Amino acid sequence: MTASWSLTLCVQSKTSADTKALADALVTDEEIHWSATKESFEFYLHEQKSKDLRAMWNTRMRGIIAVDSLLFSLSGKSEGSSTKTE
């Protein structure tokens, strides 16, 4: 008997636009399932081996973290310029 491993992640960011950007980062790798309100989304991972599930999880999370970091950097830049003189 072979065990099957699965994982479900629900994602919601600070804004709808940020949540959409995070979903867009996964669109080529995972099927995204939006909530009825479109404020969050879920995706599911299914693998036969736990080590394969861990590898898939790590890959997906690295993508989400990269996009989240980029969104954070961009939002910080919009608050003011480091070359601004007073």
Side-chain angles (χ1 to χ4, degrees), residues 9-43:
L9 180 66
C10 181
V11 179
Q12 181 176 358
S13 193
K14 297 173 292 244
T15 67
S16 296
D18 286 359
T19 302
K20 174 137 179 26
L22 294 172
D24 288 347
L26 295 169
V27 75
T28 59
D29 298 320
E30 296 300 329
E31 183 177 336
I32 302 299
H33 304 275
W34 285 96
S35 67
T37 62
K38 302 285 187 186
E39 293 179 4
S40 65
F41 68 89
E42 293 181 339
F43 69 93

CSV table of all heavy atoms in Angstrom, one decimal, residues 9-43:
chain,number,residue,atom,x,y,z
A,9,LEU,N,-2.9,25.0,0.8
A,9,LEU,CA,-2.5,26.3,1.3
A,9,LEU,C,-3.5,27.3,0.8
A,9,LEU,O,-3.8,27.4,-0.3
A,9,LEU,CB,-1.1,26.7,0.8
A,9,LEU,CG,-0.6,28.0,1.3
A,9,LEU,CD1,-0.3,28.0,2.8
A,9,LEU,CD2,0.7,28.4,0.5
A,10,CYS,N,-4.0,28.1,1.8
A,10,CYS,CA,-4.9,29.2,1.5
A,10,CYS,C,-4.0,30.5,1.7
A,10,CYS,O,-3.3,30.7,2.7
A,10,CYS,CB,-6.0,29.2,2.5
A,10,CYS,SG,-7.2,30.6,2.2
A,11,VAL,N,-4.1,31.4,0.7
A,11,VAL,CA,-3.3,32.6,0.6
A,11,VAL,C,-4.2,33.8,0.5
A,11,VAL,O,-5.1,33.9,-0.3
A,11,VAL,CB,-2.3,32.5,-0.6
A,11,VAL,CG1,-1.5,33.8,-0.7
A,11,VAL,CG2,-1.4,31.3,-0.5
A,12,GLN,N,-3.9,34.8,1.4
A,12,GLN,CA,-4.5,36.1,1.3
A,12,GLN,C,-3.5,37.1,1.7
A,12,GLN,O,-2.9,37.0,2.8
A,12,GLN,CB,-5.8,36.2,2.2
A,12,GLN,CG,-6.5,37.5,2.1
A,12,GLN,CD,-7.8,37.6,2.9
A,12,GLN,OE1,-8.2,36.6,3.5
A,12,GLN,NE2,-8.4,38.7,2.9
A,13,SER,N,-3.3,38.1,0.9
A,13,SER,CA,-2.3,39.2,1.2
A,13,SER,C,-3.1,40.4,1.7
A,13,SER,O,-4.3,40.4,2.0
A,13,SER,CB,-1.5,39.5,0.0
A,13,SER,OG,-0.4,40.3,0.3
A,14,LYS,N,-2.3,41.5,1.9
A,14,LYS,CA,-2.9,42.8,2.4
A,14,LYS,C,-3.9,43.4,1.5
A,14,LYS,O,-4.9,44.0,2.0
A,14,LYS,CB,-1.7,43.8,2.7
A,14,LYS,CG,-0.7,43.3,3.7
A,14,LYS,CD,0.5,44.3,3.7
A,14,LYS,CE,1.2,44.2,2.5
A,14,LYS,NZ,2.5,43.8,2.4
A,15,THR,N,-3.7,43.3,0.2
A,15,THR,CA,-4.7,43.8,-0.7
A,15,THR,C,-5.1,42.8,-1.8
A,15,THR,O,-4.4,41.8,-2.0
A,15,THR,CB,-4.1,45.1,-1.4
A,15,THR,OG1,-3.0,44.6,-2.3
A,15,THR,CG2,-3.5,46.1,-0.5
A,16,SER,N,-6.2,43.1,-2.4
A,16,SER,CA,-6.6,42.2,-3.5
A,16,SER,C,-5.6,42.1,-4.6
A,16,SER,O,-5.3,41.0,-5.2
A,16,SER,CB,-7.9,42.6,-4.1
A,16,SER,OG,-8.9,42.6,-3.1
A,17,ALA,N,-5.0,43.2,-4.9
A,17,ALA,CA,-4.0,43.3,-6.0
A,17,ALA,C,-2.7,42.4,-5.6
A,17,ALA,O,-2.2,41.7,-6.5
A,17,ALA,CB,-3.5,44.7,-6.3
A,18,ASP,N,-2.3,42.5,-4.4
A,18,ASP,CA,-1.2,41.7,-3.9
A,18,ASP,C,-1.5,40.2,-3.9
A,18,ASP,O,-0.7,39.4,-4.3
A,18,ASP,CB,-0.7,42.1,-2.5
A,18,ASP,CG,0.0,43.5,-2.5
A,18,ASP,OD1,0.2,44.1,-3.6
A,18,ASP,OD2,0.4,43.9,-1.4
A,19,THR,N,-2.7,39.9,-3.5
A,19,THR,CA,-3.2,38.5,-3.6
A,19,THR,C,-3.2,38.0,-5.0
A,19,THR,O,-2.7,36.9,-5.3
A,19,THR,CB,-4.6,38.3,-2.9
A,19,THR,OG1,-4.5,38.8,-1.6
A,19,THR,CG2,-5.0,36.9,-2.9
A,20,LYS,N,-3.7,38.8,-5.9
A,20,LYS,CA,-3.7,38.4,-7.3
A,20,LYS,C,-2.2,38.2,-7.8
A,20,LYS,O,-2.0,37.2,-8.6
A,20,LYS,CB,-4.4,39.4,-8.2
A,20,LYS,CG,-4.3,39.1,-9.7
A,20,LYS,CD,-5.6,39.4,-10.4
A,20,LYS,CE,-5.5,39.1,-11.9
A,20,LYS,NZ,-4.6,38.2,-12.4
A,21,ALA,N,-1.3,39.1,-7.4
A,21,ALA,CA,0.1,38.9,-7.9
A,21,ALA,C,0.7,37.6,-7.4
A,21,ALA,O,1.4,36.9,-8.1
A,21,ALA,CB,0.9,40.1,-7.4
A,22,LEU,N,0.3,37.3,-6.1
A,22,LEU,CA,0.8,36.0,-5.6
A,22,LEU,C,0.3,34.8,-6.3
A,22,LEU,O,1.0,33.8,-6.6
A,22,LEU,CB,0.5,35.9,-4.1
A,22,LEU,CG,1.2,36.9,-3.2
A,22,LEU,CD1,0.7,36.8,-1.8
A,22,LEU,CD2,2.7,36.7,-3.2
A,23,ALA,N,-1.0,34.9,-6.7
A,23,ALA,CA,-1.6,33.8,-7.5
A,23,ALA,C,-1.0,33.7,-8.9
A,23,ALA,O,-0.8,32.6,-9.4
A,23,ALA,CB,-3.1,34.0,-7.6
A,24,ASP,N,-0.8,34.9,-9.5
A,24,ASP,CA,-0.1,34.9,-10.8
A,24,ASP,C,1.2,34.3,-10.8
A,24,ASP,O,1.6,33.7,-11.8
A,24,ASP,CB,0.0,36.3,-11.3
A,24,ASP,CG,-1.4,36.9,-11.7
A,24,ASP,OD1,-2.4,36.2,-11.8
A,24,ASP,OD2,-1.5,38.2,-11.9
A,25,ALA,N,1.9,34.3,-9.7
A,25,ALA,CA,3.3,33.7,-9.6
A,25,ALA,C,3.2,32.2,-9.7
A,25,ALA,O,4.1,31.5,-10.0
A,25,ALA,CB,3.9,34.1,-8.3
A,26,LEU,N,2.0,31.6,-9.3
A,26,LEU,CA,1.9,30.2,-9.3
A,26,LEU,C,1.1,29.6,-10.5
A,26,LEU,O,1.0,28.4,-10.7
A,26,LEU,CB,1.1,29.8,-8.0
A,26,LEU,CG,1.8,30.0,-6.7
A,26,LEU,CD1,0.8,29.8,-5.6
A,26,LEU,CD2,3.0,29.1,-6.6
A,27,VAL,N,0.6,30.5,-11.4
A,27,VAL,CA,-0.3,30.1,-12.4
A,27,VAL,C,0.3,29.1,-13.4
A,27,VAL,O,-0.5,28.2,-13.9
A,27,VAL,CB,-0.8,31.3,-13.2
A,27,VAL,CG1,0.2,31.9,-14.1
A,27,VAL,CG2,-2.1,31.0,-13.9
A,28,THR,N,1.6,29.1,-13.6
A,28,THR,CA,2.1,28.1,-14.5
A,28,THR,C,2.4,26.7,-13.8
A,28,THR,O,2.6,25.7,-14.5
A,28,THR,CB,3.4,28.6,-15.2
A,28,THR,OG1,4.4,28.9,-14.1
A,28,THR,CG2,3.2,29.8,-16.0
A,29,ASP,N,2.4,26.7,-12.5
A,29,ASP,CA,2.7,25.5,-11.7
A,29,ASP,C,1.5,24.9,-11.1
A,29,ASP,O,1.6,23.6,-10.9
A,29,ASP,CB,3.7,25.9,-10.6
A,29,ASP,CG,5.0,26.4,-11.2
A,29,ASP,OD1,5.5,25.9,-12.2
A,29,ASP,OD2,5.6,27.3,-10.6
A,30,GLU,N,0.5,25.6,-10.7
A,30,GLU,CA,-0.6,25.1,-9.9
A,30,GLU,C,-1.9,25.6,-10.4
A,30,GLU,O,-2.0,26.7,-11.0
A,30,GLU,CB,-0.5,25.5,-8.5
A,30,GLU,CG,0.7,24.9,-7.7
A,30,GLU,CD,0.8,23.4,-7.7
A,30,GLU,OE1,-0.3,22.8,-7.7
A,30,GLU,OE2,1.9,22.9,-7.8
A,31,GLU,N,-2.9,24.8,-10.2
A,31,GLU,CA,-4.3,25.2,-10.5
A,31,GLU,C,-4.8,26.0,-9.2
A,31,GLU,O,-4.8,25.5,-8.1
A,31,GLU,CB,-5.2,24.0,-10.7
A,31,GLU,CG,-6.6,24.4,-11.0
A,31,GLU,CD,-7.5,23.2,-11.3
A,31,GLU,OE1,-7.0,22.1,-11.7
A,31,GLU,OE2,-8.7,23.3,-11.2
A,32,ILE,N,-5.1,27.2,-9.5
A,32,ILE,CA,-5.5,28.1,-8.4
A,32,ILE,C,-7.1,28.1,-8.2
A,32,ILE,O,-7.8,28.1,-9.2
A,32,ILE,CB,-5.1,29.6,-8.7
A,32,ILE,CG1,-3.6,29.7,-8.9
A,32,ILE,CG2,-5.6,30.6,-7.7
A,32,ILE,CD1,-2.8,29.3,-7.7
A,33,HIS,N,-7.5,28.0,-7.0
A,33,HIS,CA,-8.9,28.0,-6.7
A,33,HIS,C,-9.3,29.2,-5.8
A,33,HIS,O,-8.9,29.3,-4.7
A,33,HIS,CB,-9.3,26.7,-5.9
A,33,HIS,CG,-8.9,25.5,-6.6
A,33,HIS,ND1,-9.7,24.9,-7.6
A,33,HIS,CD2,-7.8,24.7,-6.6
A,33,HIS,CE1,-9.1,23.8,-8.1
A,33,HIS,NE2,-7.9,23.7,-7.5
A,34,TRP,N,-10.0,30.2,-6.4
A,34,TRP,CA,-10.4,31.4,-5.8
A,34,TRP,C,-11.5,31.2,-4.8
A,34,TRP,O,-12.4,30.4,-5.1
A,34,TRP,CB,-10.7,32.5,-6.8
A,34,TRP,CG,-9.5,33.0,-7.4
A,34,TRP,CD1,-8.9,32.7,-8.6
A,34,TRP,CD2,-8.6,34.0,-6.9
A,34,TRP,NE1,-7.8,33.4,-8.9
A,34,TRP,CE2,-7.5,34.2,-7.9
A,34,TRP,CE3,-8.5,34.8,-5.8
A,34,TRP,CZ2,-6.5,35.1,-7.7
A,34,TRP,CZ3,-7.5,35.7,-5.6
A,34,TRP,CH2,-6.5,35.8,-6.5
A,35,SER,N,-11.5,31.9,-3.7
A,35,SER,CA,-12.7,31.9,-2.8
A,35,SER,C,-13.9,32.6,-3.5
A,35,SER,O,-13.7,33.3,-4.5
A,35,SER,CB,-12.3,32.6,-1.5
A,35,SER,OG,-12.1,34.0,-1.8
A,36,ALA,N,-15.0,32.5,-3.0
A,36,ALA,CA,-16.2,33.1,-3.5
A,36,ALA,C,-16.1,34.6,-3.5
A,36,ALA,O,-16.6,35.3,-4.5
A,36,ALA,CB,-17.5,32.7,-2.7
A,37,THR,N,-15.4,35.2,-2.6
A,37,THR,CA,-15.2,36.6,-2.5
A,37,THR,C,-14.1,37.2,-3.3
A,37,THR,O,-13.8,38.4,-3.4
A,37,THR,CB,-15.1,37.1,-1.0
A,37,THR,OG1,-13.9,36.5,-0.5
A,37,THR,CG2,-16.3,36.7,-0.2
A,38,LYS,N,-13.2,36.3,-3.8
A,38,LYS,CA,-12.0,36.6,-4.6
A,38,LYS,C,-11.0,37.3,-3.7
A,38,LYS,O,-10.1,38.0,-4.2
A,38,LYS,CB,-12.4,37.5,-5.8
A,38,LYS,CG,-13.3,36.9,-6.8
A,38,LYS,CD,-12.6,35.8,-7.6
A,38,LYS,CE,-13.6,35.3,-8.7
A,38,LYS,NZ,-13.0,34.2,-9.4
A,39,GLU,N,-11.1,37.2,-2.4
A,39,GLU,CA,-10.1,37.8,-1.5
A,39,GLU,C,-9.0,36.9,-1.2
A,39,GLU,O,-7.9,37.3,-0.7
A,39,GLU,CB,-10.8,38.2,-0.2
A,39,GLU,CG,-11.8,39.3,-0.4
A,39,GLU,CD,-12.5,39.7,0.9
A,39,GLU,OE1,-12.1,39.2,2.0
A,39,GLU,OE2,-13.4,40.6,0.8
A,40,SER,N,-9.1,35.6,-1.4
A,40,SER,CA,-8.1,34.6,-1.2
A,40,SER,C,-8.1,33.5,-2.2
A,40,SER,O,-9.1,33.4,-2.9
A,40,SER,CB,-8.2,34.0,0.2
A,40,SER,OG,-9.4,33.3,0.4
A,41,PHE,N,-7.1,32.7,-2.2
A,41,PHE,CA,-7.1,31.5,-3.1
A,41,PHE,C,-6.4,30.4,-2.4
A,41,PHE,O,-5.7,30.5,-1.4
A,41,PHE,CB,-6.4,31.9,-4.5
A,41,PHE,CG,-4.9,32.1,-4.3
A,41,PHE,CD1,-4.0,31.1,-4.4
A,41,PHE,CD2,-4.4,33.4,-4.1
A,41,PHE,CE1,-2.6,31.3,-4.3
A,41,PHE,CE2,-3.0,33.6,-4.0
A,41,PHE,CZ,-2.1,32.6,-4.1
A,42,GLU,N,-6.6,29.2,-3.0
A,42,GLU,CA,-6.0,28.0,-2.5
A,42,GLU,C,-5.4,27.2,-3.6
A,42,GLU,O,-5.8,27.4,-4.8
A,42,GLU,CB,-7.1,27.0,-1.8
A,42,GLU,CG,-7.7,27.5,-0.6
A,42,GLU,CD,-8.7,26.5,0.0
A,42,GLU,OE1,-9.2,25.7,-0.8
A,42,GLU,OE2,-9.0,26.7,1.2
A,43,PHE,N,-4.4,26.4,-3.3
A,43,PHE,CA,-3.9,25.5,-4.2
A,43,PHE,C,-3.5,24.2,-3.4
A,43,PHE,O,-3.3,24.2,-2.2
A,43,PHE,CB,-2.7,26.0,-5.0
A,43,PHE,CG,-1.4,26.2,-4.3
A,43,PHE,CD1,-0.4,25.2,-4.2
A,43,PHE,CD2,-1.2,27.4,-3.6
A,43,PHE,CE1,0.7,25.5,-3.5
A,43,PHE,CE2,0.0,27.7,-2.9
A,43,PHE,CZ,1.0,26.7,-2.9
